[in-house]
Structure formats: structure tokens, C-alpha cells
């Protein structure tokens, strides 16, 4: 349970980051809003019924730390079962919209050199150069052939010099 709860800040950050790490931007926005809404309502419940100091800010991280500190109390609460279910659902929903990052190669546009990452329907490098579906096939060949051409050019130059 604690593990699911503590995974929420990272999942929230991934959901909030947008493409290329996201399958469905609208859905990710909804999941982000749900995480904030649901966590803050559980924080309010703890503060109202148990008293004490509310989390310093309404960031997901602070709220998760706060709820984690009150986990034993929440587990004994009448609504404790709902809390467990809701946190599990939030984590699952967030995992559903986040794409595991897959690095396809190195961007060769204008000496960019950043990683090209696939996510959802987008393929772009970390600097934002976009690769259209029509270019995907040639992408692998092109990245590889740049390396080969570079080698040949070096060989030619050193050949001429000797
Ligand atoms: Zn690039």
C-alpha cells in the first residue's frame, strides 16, 4: 500500500510531462487532476477528523508524504478500504497513460546529437525535432549510415595524406 502511494509523485510527474512520454494527453490531464483532487480530499479528511497540521503545500509530493505519515490511522478508519482502492486506481490509471521511454537513436539534424525517443504516436528527439511516420523507416538507416559515411570520409582523408 505504502509503495503504491509513494509511487504517485513520480507517476504524476510523468503524466504531467506531456509528449513524447504520454499516450493520450487529454486522459493524462484527467489523471493528473484526479490525483490532486483525491489526495487533497483524503488530506482534508485526516486534518478534519484527526486534527493537526495540513500538508505545507498542495503538491502531490507533500500530500503523499502527509498521507504516508497517517497511513496507520487511515488503515483503521472506516473509509480506510476506500483509500486503498482509490490510491491503487490512481496508480493504475497513471501507468496506463505513461509510455515506457524507448530510445531509438541519436538525432542527426543540424548536429543535434540528442536522443530520439518514441512515445505514443510521436517520435521526436529531446530537443524537439519531430520525425514523421514517413521518415521512421529511413530513420534507422540514416542514423546508421551517418556513422558509416563518417568512417569512410575519415579513411579517405587519412588515405590521401599517407
Ligand atoms: Zn534533434
Amino acid at each position: 500500500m505504502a509503495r503504491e502511494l509513494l509511487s504517485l509523485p513520480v507517476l504524476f510527474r510523468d503524466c504531467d510531462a506531456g509528449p513524447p512520454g504520454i499516450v493520450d494527453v487529454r486522459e493524462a490531464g484527467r489523471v493528473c487532476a484526479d490525483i490532486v483532487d483525491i489526495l487533497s480530499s483524503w488530506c482534508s479528511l485526516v486534518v478534519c477528523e484527526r486534527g493537526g497540521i495540513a500538508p505545507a503545500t498542495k503538491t502531490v509530493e507533500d500530500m503523499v508524504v502527509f498521507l504516508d505519515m497517517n497511513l496507520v490511522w487511515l488503515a483503521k478508519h472506516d473509509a480506510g478500504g476506500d483509500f486503498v482502492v482509490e490510491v491503487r486506481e490512481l496508480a493504475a490509471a497513471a501507468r496506463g497513460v505513461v509510455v515506457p521511454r524507448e530510445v531509438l537513436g541519436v538525432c542527426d539534424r543540424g548536429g543535434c546529437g540528442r536522443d530520439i525517443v518514441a512515445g505514443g504516436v510521436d517520435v521526436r528527439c529531446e530537443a524537439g525535432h519531430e520525425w514523421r511516420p514517413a521518415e521512421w523507416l529511413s530513420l534507422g538507416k540514416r542514423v546508421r549510415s551517418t556513422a558509416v559515411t563518417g568512417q569512410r570520409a575519415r579513411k579517405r582523408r587519412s588515405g590521401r595524406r599517407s
Side-chain angles (χ1 to χ4, degrees):
M1 176 58 214
R3 204 171 43 85
E4 289 282 66
L5 179 64
L6 294 174
S7 73
L8 285 179
V10 173
L11 287 169
F12 178 83
R13 207 168 51 223
D14 289 348
C15 270
D16 204 30
I22 291 298
V23 185
D24 181 335
V25 176
R26 281 231 317 268
E27 182 66 11
R30 207 181 56 76
V31 172
C32 282
D34 279 356
I35 291 177
V36 173
D37 273 1
I38 290 173
L39 290 183
S40 73
S41 78
W42 285 104
C43 289
S44 311
L45 178 134
V46 173
V47 174
C48 283
E49 294 189 15
R50 205 187 182 191
I53 303 156
T57 67
K58 285 227 166 171
T59 60
V60 171
E61 228 153 75
D62 277 357
M63 291 195 289
V64 161
V65 169
F66 176 81
L67 291 171
D68 187 48
M69 289 189 310
N70 289 284
L71 214 53
V72 176
W73 182 85
L74 274 165
K76 290 183 200 147
H77 193 278
D78 286 345
D82 292 343
F83 177 68
V84 173
V85 170
E86 285 180 15
V87 166
R88 219 169 262 161
E89 280 173 0
L90 285 177
R95 285 198 193 96
V97 289
V98 173
V99 184
R101 270 168 55 97
E102 192 189 347
V103 176
L104 297 179
V106 175
C107 181
D108 66 352
R109 291 195 184 160
C112 171
R114 306 281 204 102
D115 284 346
I116 298 167
V117 184
V121 292
D122 283 326
V123 172
R124 58 178 82 199
C125 86
E126 289 172 344
H129 296 126
E130 216 174 303
W131 297 80
R132 284 174 229 292
E135 298 172 305
W136 291 355
L137 259 178
S138 66
L139 174 61
K141 279 181 227 154
R142 193 141 124 214
V143 173
R144 236 171 287 140
S145 71
T146 342
V148 174
T149 319
Q151 263 170 23
R152 273 198 213 115
R154 269 193 299 282
K155 223 178 267 171
R156 266 201 307 279
R157 273 199 301 276
S158 60
R160 227 176 289 144
R161 232 177 284 134
S162 58

